[in-house]
Amino acid sequence: MPGRRRGGFRDRRVGVAQVVDTCRAELVKRARAGKIAIIEMPFAVKTRGRRCRPFVKVMCADREKLLQWGRARGIPAGWLHVSRSGLPHFDLWGRQAESVLRELERIEEFLKLLEEE
């Protein structure tokens, strides 16, 4: 039976996958509108026995805007590629992904402070 595991417990990952897909669809819409969209993938990359590290996609339909964003963060232009859906994007993991996620956290904290005032 779908959505069930051995022992009769409902697989909660189905609900999480649906939420991730919904958020991802909204971010892809944002990217198609020419805005930078950062998607933290719901899994991590494990490299040669080391700890797992986050995996992030940074997308934007405007290739030049995305390249400029990458240059500002030291990301080589050669890392940019186009997905099957036609959206240019960077796949980042390790230190680059951690740096982007920290930057997002600082922005979110700043926005919360503005809301409180």
Side-chain angles (χ1 to χ4, degrees), residues 38-40 54-56 95-106 108:
I38 300 172
I39 302 171
E40 183 178 6
F55 178 66
V56 175
R95 281 181 273 167
Q96 288 84 9
E98 289 168 357
S99 173
V100 167
L101 293 173
R102 275 194 306 264
E103 184 180 340
L104 282 176
E105 286 174 10
R106 286 193 304 266
E108 288 173 358

Side-chain angles (χ1 to χ4, degrees), residues 24 31 35-41 54-83 85-94 96-97 100:
R24 190 171 196 274
K35 297 177 182 174
I36 301 285
I38 300 172
I39 302 171
E40 183 178 6
M41 301 306 284
F55 178 66
V56 175
K57 281 188 181 286
V58 183
M59 310 177 157
C60 183
D62 184 346
R63 191 173 197 274
E64 267 315 302
K65 188 178 195 177
L66 189 55
L67 283 170
Q68 183 180 6
W69 182 92
R71 274 192 299 271
R73 286 153 185 85
I75 299 168
W79 290 9
L80 182 73
H81 59 277
V82 179
S83 65
S85 64
L87 275 174
H89 70 279
F90 290 110
D91 289 330
L92 305 175
W93 57 91
Q96 288 84 9
V100 167

